[in-house]
Amino acid sequence: MKVIVGITGGIAAYKAPELVRQLVKAGHEVRCAATEHALEFVTRVTLETVSGNALYSDLFASGRTEHVSLKDWGDLLVVAPATANIIGKVANGIADDALSTLLLAFSGKPVVMAPAMNCEMWAHPAVQHNIETLKGWGIRMVGPESGELACGVSGVGRMAEPEQIAAYIASLSTHDSQLSTQKWLVTAGPTYERIDSVRFIGNYSSGKMGFALAQVLADAGADVELVTGPTALTIEHPRVRVTRVESAREMYAAATAAFPTCNGAILSAAVADYRPSECADHKLKKNGNEGMHLDLVQNPDILATLGSMKREGQTLVGFALETDNEEANAQRKLDKKNLDYIVLNSLRDKGAGFGVDTNKVTIIGRDGSRKESPLMSKKEVAQLIVEATALKDTQQ
Ligand code: CTP
């Protein structure tokens, strides 16, 4: 892998050359990018010597677009140590030096951070909020560890050891993975359709199936665009980019924008078929015994739209949640929406469907293939779906 090691200005920067050395030893090509303050703790000569490459630290010195060429070059960017400052900058989209600019340009590629700071700083709500923001975007955190800090106190804030960071990167290395050159789109969760400023129409989908699919695809080496409706779930994988949306129309916009550059898509979201024709910008008041009538209009069908956009070589997988005539309805959807596979969830099966951790599915292929699962965890079902769809051609 081509790894960029970003170094920021914390005392733990003195351990960065050791991390670089270990990554080089593990067979990775390494380039370093350091902030001005990092170079107060570790020298340019040291970093260039251990990495065997020129250091990137000045946005203007060596051609103004080096952050872009370095972004194209790198497979993974690890920031070690990551100070509260760089964490805050990235969480707020600030790009005011070489490393922060590179980090924003690196969006969509795997980023790992090894935070290091004083324990009070780490516990500060601003830092914790920023960490959650970054995690929500798929940035992986290693550490911080608990132990003695440079300021003399003990607490959480110590950078993870270089061995630990290198081992973590090794676990993410997907050299021999079957989907490492592929990009997949996954939709997950429910959609919320607004009625007024405080109410919506939604459904019980938890997003668990879609998140499990994203995890399995990413573990198999694919870059994953996960477009999810409202859910408390989070995913931490450097190859998964999460886009959080609320309504069917927002999901439609994100999914149709992502699909053209994807090898395939698995649409597991429980999209609301209808939305209120109007959304009041205030809270609607009761109007007594007259009752309340909502006028609903149909939402765009994301799966059918992707089916009509589908190019040669792209794989499209839909879900069908049925209560009656399951197989016939699923087959009809497969044809009508131009799908390659449909995953049939029968609501008759106990333990399958919304909210629960288990599922039981039948995967029906356009080619006539048919795979039935027993009641399994959603993670296992996701594995089965990915094997029967995304991995099918790679296994032949
Ligand atoms: N789907 C979608 N966009 C919609 C509705 C559904 O992408 N507006 C996708 C779901 O993510 C799922 C599949 O379509 O993969 C099946 O959804 P389902 O609600 O079962 O089917 P419908 O097309 O709505 O058909 P019906 O209401 O007749 O069951």
Side-chain angles (χ1 to χ4, degrees):
M1 247 197 318
K2 294 189 172 91
V3 181
I4 302 166
V5 178
I7 302 130
T8 62
I11 179 66
Y14 84 91
K15 293 184 178 173
E18 179 55 25
L19 171 63
V20 174
R21 205 185 61 78
Q22 295 203 13
L23 291 171
V24 170
K25 212 167 125 199
H28 301 294
E29 268 184 76
V30 179
R31 290 196 59 184
C32 295
T35 62
E36 198 188 328
H37 289 162
L39 296 177
E40 298 284 329
F41 296 94
V42 60
T43 73
R44 170 179 294 274
V45 178
T46 309
L47 294 171
E48 292 189 340
T49 307
V50 286
S51 69
N53 281 310
L55 175 76
Y56 174 55
S57 62
D58 185 341
L59 199 47
F60 299 105
S62 47
R64 273 172 224 164
T65 56
E66 196 170 354
H67 58 287
V68 177
S69 44
L70 203 50
K71 183 256 319 186
D72 290 339
W73 179 86
D75 296 316
L76 182 140
L77 170 52
V78 52
V79 184
T83 55
N85 188 41
I86 195 76
I87 288 164
K89 279 197 209 176
V90 179
N92 289 286
I94 296 168
D96 63 354
D97 65 2
L99 181 60
S100 53
T101 307
L102 174 64
L103 273 157
L104 289 203
F106 217 74
S107 163
K109 287 187 154 188
V111 175
V112 176
M113 285 191 174
M117 66 197 75
N118 159 271
C119 52
E120 312 285 357
M121 290 172 76
W122 173 251
H124 194 286
V127 174
Q128 287 305 311
H129 177 79
N130 291 336
I131 290 282
E132 286 313 311
T133 301
L134 298 185
K135 282 184 178 174
W137 295 339
I139 293 181
R140 304 283 300 235
M141 299 290 160
V142 193
E145 302 299 315
S146 178
E148 199 180 314
L149 304 174
C151 49
V153 298
S154 267
V156 178
R158 237 172 106 113
M159 186 176 87
E161 290 302 325
E163 297 74 26
Q164 196 184 337
I165 303 169
Y168 186 81
I169 291 170
S171 76
L172 298 176
S173 169
T174 51
H175 262 319
D176 51 1
S177 165
Q178 293 142 303
L179 295 180
S180 60
T181 57
Q182 300 206 5
K183 184 168 155 193
W184 279 72
L185 165 70
V186 176
T187 66
T191 63
Y192 286 0
E193 310 299 327
R194 287 186 186 213
I195 298 170
D196 64 15
S197 56
V198 295
R199 302 180 180 96
F200 60 85
I201 298 174
N203 61 65
Y204 289 120
S205 168
S206 63
K208 284 178 183 163
M209 194 63 242
F211 274 66
L213 284 163
Q215 181 80 40
V216 171
L217 284 164
D219 286 346
D223 283 325
V224 180
E225 292 282 347
L226 174 61
V227 179
T228 179
T231 168
L233 298 179
T234 56
I235 186 162
E236 291 174 34
H237 199 297
R239 303 185 81 88
V240 180
R241 195 167 81 147
V242 185
T243 304
R244 292 186 186 268
V245 297
E246 185 179 289
S247 67
R249 284 189 294 175
E250 287 167 11
M251 187 173 279
Y252 177 88
T256 51
F259 188 56
T261 57
C262 290
N263 295 80
I266 307 182
L267 303 202
S268 68
V271 186
D273 288 325
Y274 293 92
R275 67 175 183 277
S277 58
E278 277 171 42
C279 166
D281 58 8
H282 56 277
K283 180 170 173 260
L284 292 172
K285 302 298 282 180
K286 279 194 286 290
N287 64 358
N289 288 332
E290 282 182 29
M292 168 137 178
H293 299 277
L294 281 177
D295 183 36
L296 301 178
V297 292
Q298 201 167 347
N299 271 325
D301 190 319
I302 305 164
L303 185 59
T305 306
L306 299 194
S308 66
M309 290 167 69
K310 197 172 73 173
R311 285 178 287 103
E312 179 77 25
Q314 282 183 307
T315 304
L316 185 58
V317 186
F319 273 68
L321 189 61
E322 305 288 347
T323 50
D324 307 291
N325 295 326
E326 292 107 331
E327 297 256 344
N329 279 334
Q331 191 67 49
R332 191 177 47 78
K333 271 180 205 171
L334 181 84
D335 295 332
K336 205 172 109 199
K337 300 193 186 185
N338 192 25
L339 312 181
D340 299 285
Y341 300 93
I342 191 146
V343 182
L344 171 62
N345 257 308
S346 170
L347 275 185
R348 289 185 185 182
D349 290 318
K350 224 171 157 240
F354 285 174
V356 290
D357 286 321
T358 49
N359 209 354
K360 183 169 187 277
V361 299
T362 308
I363 306 162
I364 304 168
R366 175 178 283 276
D367 54 5
S369 61
R370 205 172 175 289
K371 204 171 235 177
E372 222 168 294
S373 80
L375 189 67
M376 310 195 279
S377 74
K378 284 190 173 165
K379 185 79 199 271
E380 287 168 320
V381 174
Q383 191 72 45
L384 197 79
I385 294 170
V386 170
E387 272 164 21
T389 60
L391 286 169
K392 185 162 179 280
D393 293 333
T394 62
Q395 284 173 340
Q396 280 169 351

